[in-house]
Amino acid sequence: MKKDFLIVVVLLFFGAFLFKGTKIQSVDDYYLTHIDDITPESETVTLSIEAKTLLDNMDKLDENLRSEKYVPKNGIILKETEVVLRNKDTVFDLLNRTTRYNKIQFDYQGSDNNSFGSNYIKGINYLYEFSAGPLSGWMYKVNGKFPDYGVSKYLAKDKDKIEIIYTCDLGRDIGGGFNNESEK
């Protein structure tokens, strides 16, 4: 009897400890606690997400996505935003954290599921690869250049300017693309 009582007391104590140590949050609180406050000592980057190319290619876009909900009037999904840079943050880490904080839909393929060995941006704000034709999808620039490797392999540095851009023509319509001098 004493042994059973002791087990019950230990379980209750353990349960109370777990419950007290668990912070229950609303969805809004969850998103707000996962972005760092910027201080004067913080290393930061700027990040933006845009789909301006779609403004001239709405006829190519899936009919269900031809709305300001998905493609804002100015094409800007996220204006240039300052984000805290953590140790060993990649462009993917920053994009993932920023879209979560700003409640922007973001879908990706993990590095284990593709031949690139890097996470792959499938969709942002419900705009996916091929949503506007066979050459459409997401690309990224850092400091005005298109890196030649994936978003989860590019280690960001203090003061980097990161642009996530939707292309309708395999990058040629945004100043990049395969075998294009501007991406080097």
Side-chain angles (χ1 to χ4, degrees):
M1 172 104 164
K2 276 185 168 181
K3 187 176 178 183
D4 291 339
F5 180 72
L6 185 60
I7 290 172
V8 169
V9 169
V10 168
L11 287 174
L12 286 173
F13 178 75
F14 184 69
F17 176 76
L18 281 178
F19 183 74
K20 184 173 170 46
T22 302
K23 184 175 179 186
I24 298 174
Q25 303 174 319
S26 70
V27 173
D28 289 336
D29 288 340
Y30 170 81
Y31 283 106
L32 291 175
T33 59
H34 286 78
I35 199 85
D36 295 315
D37 291 326
I38 296 174
T39 65
E41 300 82 37
S42 298
E43 290 189 351
T44 62
V45 300
T46 58
L47 188 136
S48 62
I49 304 170
E50 61 128 289
K52 291 179 183 177
T53 57
L54 285 171
L55 299 175
D56 293 329
N57 292 285
M58 291 299 268
D59 57 318
K60 293 180 183 178
L61 188 61
D62 182 302
E63 280 187 44
N64 296 322
L65 299 171
R66 294 180 190 172
S67 155
E68 283 185 46
K69 178 179 177 182
Y70 307 110
V71 183
K73 274 186 182 175
N74 62 2
I76 298 171
I77 295 168
L78 178 72
K79 68 182 172 124
E80 197 170 282
T81 302
E82 191 174 23
V83 181
V84 169
L85 179 64
R86 296 178 186 164
N87 188 32
K88 297 187 180 181
D89 264 346
T90 63
V91 168
F92 173 80
D93 298 324
L94 294 158
L95 176 61
N96 189 30
R97 197 162 61 239
T98 303
T99 53
R100 280 184 29 215
Y101 178 74
N102 288 283
K103 299 178 186 171
I104 298 169
Q105 182 271 345
F106 175 51
D107 189 10
Y108 66 93
Q109 182 182 58
S111 60
D112 295 341
N113 298 322
N114 64 55
S115 60
F116 305 113
S118 175
N119 291 344
Y120 178 76
I121 301 171
K122 290 172 51 176
I124 300 173
N125 208 40
Y126 301 98
L127 301 170
Y128 280 79
E129 176 184 34
F130 310 133
S131 287
L135 305 178
S136 65
W138 291 98
M139 294 180 71
Y140 77 104
K141 282 185 186 180
V142 178
N143 303 322
K145 298 182 187 220
F146 293 91
D148 58 356
Y149 42 94
V151 291
S152 64
K153 291 198 172 202
Y154 192 100
L155 284 175
K157 294 179 256 353
D158 189 29
K159 306 297 182 233
D160 275 348
K161 179 180 178 181
I162 300 167
E163 300 168 79
I164 312 297
I165 309 167
Y166 196 83
T167 177
C168 294
D169 191 20
L170 208 57
R172 291 182 284 269
D173 54 347
I174 57 173
F178 293 104
N179 301 320
N180 188 325
E181 260 326 287
S182 68
E183 74 175 313
K184 295 191 178 172

